[in-house]
Amino acid sequence: MLIAARLDGRIVGTVQLGIDMPPNQPHRADIRKLLTHRSARGRGIGAALMDRAEAEARRRGRTLLVLDTASGEAERLYLRGGWQRVGVVPDYAMWPGGGFCDTTFFWKKL
């Protein structure tokens, strides 16, 4: 599911909620790719997108959310939103331009 935020008639942020889970995880969903355009940051758009994704997950009967990030700025947003930091996996993913990056995992009970 894709959720978008608009400001002055243009899309300035999105978040994806992954709800298609394996049969043994029907209670869970994943937050995938929260993005906020640089020009719209600092206006609460990321937090609003996360609130909407969490509300949609609840509406669909999900009680646990998980996500991962390689961004320190995003980590602060998630911690303010009540997410619990699990830990860091070194070299988990690659940057678009190449090279490995560490990834931090979070969870939240709804």
Side-chain angles (χ1 to χ4, degrees), residues 37-90:
H37 192 274
R38 282 189 168 94
S39 68
R41 291 187 182 159
R43 299 179 185 204
I45 292 168
L49 285 165
M50 290 299 291
D51 289 346
R52 177 71 188 274
E54 291 173 22
E56 187 60 36
R58 278 189 200 90
R59 190 179 77 73
R60 293 172 177 266
R62 301 313 199 266
T63 58
L64 177 66
L65 294 176
V66 295
L67 64 79
D68 64 81
T69 186
S71 165
E73 188 176 335
E75 284 189 43
R76 290 186 293 279
L77 171 70
Y78 301 138
L79 290 169
R80 284 191 311 267
W83 288 76
Q84 303 299 310
R85 188 175 190 264
V86 176
V88 177
V89 177

Side-chain angles (χ1 to χ4, degrees), residues 2 5 23 30 49 64 92:
L2 177 68
D30 292 333
L49 285 165
L64 177 66
Y92 183 79

